[in-house]
Amino acid sequence: MKSSIFLCFFVFLFLGGNAQVRQLVTLDSNWKFINKEVAGAEKPETNTASWETVSVPHDWAIKGPFDKEIDAQKVRVTQDMEKEARMRTGRTGALPHIGIGWYRKTFELPGLKAGKKVLLVFDGAMSDAHVWLNGKEVGNHPYGYAYFYFDISDYLKDGENILAVRLENPSNSSRWYPGAGIYRKVQIIVKDETSFKQWGTFITTPFVSEEVAKVNIKSDVNGEDVRLVTDIVDADGKVVASKTSDEKFGKTIEQNIAVPHPEIWDTESPYLYTAHSKLFEGNELKDELVTRFGIRSVVYERGKGLILNGEVTKFKGVCLHHDLGPLGAAVNKAALKRQLTILKDMGCNAIRSSHNMPSHEQLELCDEMGFLFMAESFDEWAKAKVKNGYNRWFNDWAEKDVVNLVRATRNHPSIVMWSSGNEVPDQWGDEGVKRAKWLQDIFHREDPTRPVTVGMDQVANTMKNGFGAIIDVPGLNYRLPLYGEAYQRFPQGFILGSETASTVSSRGVYKFPVEEYKQKTYGDFQSSSYDLEACNWSNIPDDDFVWQDDYDWVIGEFVWTGFDYLGEPTPYNEAWPSRSSYFGICDLAGLPKDRYYLYRSRWNTKEETLHILPHWNWDGREGETTPVFVYTSYNTAELFVNGVSQGKRTKNREERLDRYRLRWMDVKYEPGTLKVVAFDGNGNPVAEQEIHTAGKPHHLELSADREVISADGKDLSYVTVSVVDKDGNLCPNADNQLSFEVSGAGEFRAVCNGDATSLEMFHIPTMKAFNGKLVVTVQSIKEAGEIELQVKGKGLKSNTIKIRSNT
């Protein structure tokens, strides 16, 4: 028996089409901003000449400075199994996100005709947004991660209009860095009264085969004597199916359209169609939408889990907070694409938006690049984790926020699951069970095609009180010893690792002796990249791999986390100046840690992985035991130190730490060359890698992730800067102070070295290298041309790199 079946055909809805019937205006430039309370700031006559001019998306707090006292919280974190409250510093990134911010924007809508409907749409504003237009309050929306819109038709006037937005972040309102400001895009939609309702189109396929897909389109519309014409267009621009309908059921027009021999959307070939929908009143075109979508089938089956297009597909996923490291919370599509490109190469196939509603830009990219997506809604329900968190708003706003989440994003082919919450204290008590059922019912009402999960950490309790039994997909956060019992007691027939591992490490840092530790701390506030350190409540990656490989009913995992994020510096919550996490597979700069290659060796099944750790610069450790690990997609390898074999190792299914790693635990350090040779199943050498003891830092090497970018004033190139010796070997202990200068058709945007303890600001063009590396972010301007980045360091030969910016 199948526990539940979801045969789905999803779309991404974007606003576009004929400017005569629908106009889309993005309010991105020339906003006025001030980071304090200003009485009467909503009034048009208020003078804003002294305010800062910014572009939106904007995060007012990311420029710092870091401050130990910002949002220092004395709390007992039940998720960390704490028994008493402790003072925590750096928990929310030590950046000045607390306070009030005012934004003002002047705009005109020339040619606006009577009878037009005008919507003001926010993708997200942190937080408690109050909005005025021309001095009159339009509305309020408190949740900082929510999408929302207002009908401003009656507030507009001819000529100049003044939009004012007040935001406020109180203290004790988050468990991580939430960002601050209007950090996602703002748009105005101008359309006819007879039109498609905002977020009112929903497309599914009740039937998909190689021969045909049955496309069901439900469009909520305003208007009486209306006719809907829809053309479905393939990736080459060819119309492959059409339908005209004029029958309404209430406010909904439903169409069933057959697409012959459909191209299927999946993680390997994310094929996307578009649907061109035109709404007529009589013979007059009133509104038009162009809708991008993908055809695919999704089934959740007992004992197997996700069946994507007929194939069992395990989630090889990561959790991602919404911040973009040195860019803060301000959304940038190029930064998001870089993250996803790095994860795709690792073999990752799924993203969990943790613990927030995702940006539209992130979902668009996941549609295009072939990622499965768990769209999460809340970190809190009615019971508080932090005093001023979402618990204050839950009873009045939860349903509205869920409705907006689902309607705004349900047409993305990447989304295969909703999450109604994460580790909510409401897991305890009868009322919490009722809340879980209530929220799940709202998701089902708005979207009957996808299941709902909750990230549960109180698993023993949820097995007793029925909480876990009612959830479509029981999500377990950690608690590996309870997996077996949970599978037996929960009725769904499968379980998901909704949050796993929480291994901690610092890129390029190695600690001795090499042993497994829980909650281990060191005087330098770093964690070891031997990848054997975790928290009291978490584990190393190998433990999750075993459950997924040995039990079909464990349907995959979402690792905490894909990238380090600002705030929550466990296990250094009380160790200033730690101010960002250690959980990431990649560091805050986006540079892979060693752990990246452990996951890649298992997840990327198409390309070889062969990676050695640690580095081989250990002045003073000569003759001392210095274990060597190899993360590889091959089963057997041989290690050499200066040409002398250290023996072969083969992965051993029976030994926990040797099942996924190759380990040489008794290697004695001597400077020189460390080399590994991998063998195929027949014993033939097929790949090798070596690292060398580096000499003194000599010069800088620069490498850009993209050498050609768009001249749109938003696009980014990430340049990795490496401190190397005269032969080009990375100097793994180098911490030289470097400086950066950008000239030409671009500008310096940010720099990050991945050090969780660094208090150097991201927006200032100087920073120390951390273990030999850092990353400089260069941004285009709205002018094509050549961009040049020059990097200098005292005692080092400087270097430059050129990037092309094209229109």
Side-chain angles (χ1 to χ4, degrees):
M1 288 289 293
K2 295 179 179 178
S3 61
S4 54
I5 298 177
F6 301 85
L7 293 176
C8 307
F9 170 84
F10 295 102
V11 302
F12 162 61
L13 177 63
F14 70 94
L15 299 166
N18 192 321
Q20 293 180 347
V21 295
R22 174 177 284 241
Q23 182 182 7
L24 177 63
V25 179
T26 299
L27 303 180
D28 53 1
S29 60
N30 296 315
W31 287 77
K32 304 297 287 185
F33 167 73
I34 193 166
N35 188 192
K36 66 178 182 180
E37 181 67 287
V38 176
E42 75 281 3
K43 298 177 181 179
E45 62 270 20
T46 298
N47 189 335
T48 61
S50 63
W51 294 20
E52 183 182 0
T53 301
V54 300
S55 294
V56 166
H58 176 246
D59 180 350
W60 83 55
I62 191 58
K63 290 185 177 181
F66 294 109
D67 186 340
K68 179 180 180 180
E69 300 305 318
I70 291 174
D71 206 22
Q73 297 181 14
K74 187 172 184 179
V75 290
R76 172 178 170 261
V77 181
T78 57
Q79 291 80 20
D80 289 1
M81 299 182 177
E82 293 180 353
K83 298 186 182 303
E84 59 184 29
R86 297 187 290 115
M87 181 61 69
R88 290 171 174 249
T89 58
R91 193 183 192 205
T92 54
L95 289 163
H97 68 280
I98 297 167
I100 294 167
W102 276 97
Y103 291 82
R104 296 239 310 197
K105 170 68 179 174
T106 300
F107 67 92
E108 295 185 9
L109 296 175
L112 183 64
K113 298 179 181 179
K116 290 291 185 180
K117 182 181 287 291
V118 183
L119 304 181
L120 176 64
V121 185
F122 290 81
D123 282 4
M126 191 66 69
S127 58
D128 195 14
H130 289 261
V131 179
W132 290 263
L133 189 60
N134 299 320
K136 296 181 180 179
E137 186 161 10
V138 174
N140 161 242
H141 205 106
Y143 189 33
Y145 292 110
Y147 328 107
F148 59 95
Y149 68 93
F150 303 114
D151 186 336
I152 59 172
S153 306
D154 296 335
Y155 298 85
L156 289 165
K157 63 181 184 180
D158 292 335
E160 187 175 271
N161 291 270
I162 297 179
L163 172 64
V165 181
R166 182 188 186 275
L167 302 173
E168 182 174 6
N169 285 341
S171 62
N172 293 281
S173 61
S174 182
R175 300 191 298 124
W176 57 83
Y177 177 68
I182 305 177
Y183 68 102
R184 293 178 180 170
K185 68 177 180 291
V186 182
Q187 295 180 308
I188 290 176
I189 300 168
V190 182
K191 59 181 182 174
D192 200 90
E193 285 286 352
T194 299
S195 57
F196 295 99
K197 289 188 175 181
Q198 179 71 355
W199 304 332
T201 298
F202 188 28
I203 303 183
T204 62
T205 53
F207 179 80
V208 177
S209 72
E210 292 184 4
E211 291 75 29
V212 67
K214 180 184 177 183
V215 183
N216 178 263
I217 306 178
K218 293 182 177 70
S219 301
D220 292 341
V221 299
N222 292 312
E224 297 305 321
D225 180 22
V226 293
R227 173 170 48 94
L228 177 59
V229 179
T230 300
D231 293 332
I232 294 180
V233 181
D234 68 14
D236 296 322
K238 179 183 176 182
V239 176
V240 295
S242 299
K243 185 79 171 184
T244 299
S245 306
D246 59 9
E247 185 175 20
K248 285 202 309 178
F249 299 88
K251 293 290 186 180
T252 303
I253 298 176
E254 184 170 356
Q255 295 178 308
N256 288 298
I257 307 173
V259 176
H261 306 291
E263 296 283 348
I264 303 302
W265 185 97
D266 63 25
T267 57
E268 297 300 321
S269 56
Y271 191 93
L272 295 167
Y273 291 85
T274 55
H276 294 218
S277 299
K278 297 180 180 180
L279 188 67
F280 292 85
E281 187 175 66
N283 292 320
E284 183 180 358
L285 179 63
K286 289 292 188 179
D287 201 7
E288 184 175 7
L289 290 175
V290 180
T291 306
R292 191 174 64 165
F293 64 90
I295 301 173
R296 81 315 187 246
S297 67
V298 173
V299 176
Y300 286 85
E301 186 173 327
R302 291 183 63 84
K304 297 180 180 179
L306 173 64
I307 315 294
L308 178 65
N309 301 320
E311 298 289 334
V312 175
T313 303
K314 289 212 175 190
F315 291 101
K316 298 184 289 186
V318 301
C319 301
L320 290 179
H321 265 313
H322 72 302
D323 81 65
L324 293 169
L327 303 187
V331 166
N332 181 284
K333 197 166 184 177
L336 289 165
K337 187 170 184 178
R338 176 187 180 239
Q339 283 191 337
L340 293 174
T341 300
I342 292 168
L343 292 172
K344 195 77 172 179
D345 180 68
M346 188 176 70
C348 174
N349 71 359
I351 305 296
R352 175 193 183 208
S353 61
S354 314
H355 307 289
N356 53 270
M357 299 174 179
S359 69
H360 289 297
E361 290 85 353
Q362 186 180 45
L363 293 173
E364 292 165 18
L365 288 166
C366 288
D367 293 345
E368 296 166 4
M369 299 175 70
F371 284 89
L372 308 172
F373 205 95
M374 181 203 295
E376 196 151 84
S377 50
F378 307 120
D379 188 53
E380 279 186 3
W381 293 351
K383 291 186 177 181
K385 290 183 183 178
V386 288
K387 181 176 63 175
N388 293 318
Y390 189 72
N391 65 88
R392 296 178 297 152
W393 312 111
F394 180 84
N395 290 332
D396 293 331
W397 285 92
E399 180 170 8
K400 300 170 190 175
D401 287 333
V402 168
V403 168
N404 283 5
L405 166 65
V406 176
R407 291 185 183 178
T409 67
R410 62 188 172 184
N411 295 318
H412 285 278
S414 52
I415 297 178
V416 295
M417 188 186 309
W418 305 109
S419 171
S420 62
N422 170 69
E423 296 182 357
V424 294
D426 312 67
Q427 291 168 89
W428 297 90
D430 294 340
E431 285 302 313
V433 179
K434 294 174 183 176
R435 288 185 192 114
K437 180 64 164 58
W438 175 67
L439 285 169
Q440 183 165 275
D441 286 346
I442 297 169
F443 278 102
H444 287 169
R445 182 191 73 206
E446 299 299 321
D447 174 15
T449 68
R450 293 180 177 92
V452 180
T453 190
V454 175
M456 298 181 292
D457 63 329
Q458 303 300 316
V459 178
N461 183 67
T462 62
M463 287 191 291
K464 296 176 183 177
N465 69 0
F467 188 104
I470 66 170
I471 303 300
D472 296 332
V473 177
L476 273 62
N477 287 10
Y478 317 105
R479 311 299 184 260
L480 290 177
L482 295 177
Y483 267 34
E485 184 181 356
Y487 171 64
Q488 294 296 325
R489 296 188 62 173
F490 290 151
Q492 296 90 341
F494 50 75
I495 60 173
L496 170 68
S498 47
E499 190 171 312
T500 63
S502 276
T503 309
V504 292
S505 63
S506 303
R507 176 185 54 79
V509 174
Y510 306 92
K511 300 294 187 180
F512 304 98
V514 178
E515 298 175 358
E516 275 196 83
Y517 290 108
K518 290 291 183 79
Q519 215 70 23
K520 180 69 173 179
T521 58
Y522 303 92
D524 61 358
F525 305 153
Q526 305 291 351
S527 295
S528 177
S529 244
Y530 274 105
D531 300 324
L532 292 174
E533 296 180 6
C535 305
N536 287 331
W537 39 269
S538 63
N539 53 269
I540 61 175
D542 316 52
D543 296 332
D544 291 296
F545 295 165
V546 169
W547 280 98
Q548 292 152 38
D549 288 348
D550 291 355
Y551 300 97
D552 291 339
W553 45 266
V554 180
I555 68 174
E557 67 172 320
F558 289 87
V559 180
W560 192 263
T561 52
F563 291 79
D564 280 339
Y565 54 94
L566 292 162
E568 211 169 33
T570 310
Y572 295 106
N573 295 303
E574 300 169 276
W576 183 255
S578 293
R579 46 71 175 155
S580 60
S581 80
Y582 300 78
F583 295 120
I585 295 171
C586 301
D587 70 15
L588 198 70
L591 295 171
K593 303 178 185 178
D594 293 289
R595 200 165 3 124
Y596 177 92
Y597 301 96
L598 179 59
Y599 283 99
R600 192 181 193 275
S601 70
R602 181 173 175 271
W603 283 1
N604 187 335
T605 58
K606 294 186 175 182
E607 299 173 289
E608 73 174 27
T609 299
L610 187 60
H611 176 76
I612 309 173
L613 65 131
H615 62 70
W616 212 236
N617 272 62
W618 296 105
D619 187 29
R621 285 190 63 83
E622 289 80 3
E624 293 189 40
T625 299
T626 307
V628 175
F629 290 5
V630 170
Y631 298 156
T632 179
S633 50
Y634 298 103
N635 282 327
T636 300
E638 185 174 7
L639 183 71
F640 299 86
V641 176
N642 293 329
V644 178
S645 176
Q646 307 296 302
K648 288 185 178 181
R649 297 289 186 271
T650 298
K651 292 176 184 176
N652 181 358
R653 182 183 177 88
E654 304 305 318
E655 293 293 331
R656 172 171 162 269
L657 290 183
D658 296 322
R659 183 167 176 176
Y660 302 101
R661 311 168 187 239
L662 299 177
R663 301 186 301 150
W664 289 261
M665 296 299 295
D666 55 356
V667 177
K668 304 296 183 183
Y669 174 68
E670 58 181 68
T673 299
L674 192 63
K675 177 180 177 180
V676 65
V677 177
F679 299 88
D680 65 16
N682 296 318
N684 301 311
V686 288
E688 63 179 55
Q689 186 192 44
E690 56 184 50
I691 55 177
H692 306 275
T693 303
K696 294 181 179 180
H698 177 266
H699 64 275
L700 299 166
E701 289 188 352
L702 311 183
S703 175
D705 70 328
R706 299 166 64 219
E707 294 183 351
V708 179
I709 61 177
S710 298
D712 59 2
K714 300 176 183 178
D715 207 0
L716 305 174
S717 178
Y718 284 85
V719 180
T720 299
V721 180
S722 301
V723 182
V724 299
D725 68 7
K726 62 182 178 60
D727 297 319
N729 297 304
L730 178 71
C731 298
N733 299 313
D735 62 354
N736 304 68
Q737 188 77 41
L738 306 179
S739 62
F740 323 104
E741 183 177 346
V742 178
S743 58
E747 59 189 12
F748 171 83
R749 176 66 188 273
V751 59
C752 185
N753 61 14
D755 180 3
T757 70
S758 172
L759 298 182
E760 294 181 278
M761 295 314 306
F762 304 125
H763 69 288
I764 297 175
T766 180
M767 185 171 282
K768 284 186 176 182
F770 179 59
N771 295 327
K773 291 187 176 185
L774 53 71
V775 177
V776 179
T777 307
V778 175
Q779 182 168 295
S780 68
I781 60 176
K782 292 183 178 180
E783 180 180 316
E786 190 173 77
I787 306 169
E788 184 173 281
L789 167 66
Q790 183 179 49
V791 185
K792 298 179 180 179
K794 186 177 181 180
L796 299 171
K797 184 178 179 181
S798 63
N799 204 349
T800 61
I801 190 170
K802 294 180 180 179
I803 299 158
R804 185 71 194 174
S805 175
N806 291 339
T807 54

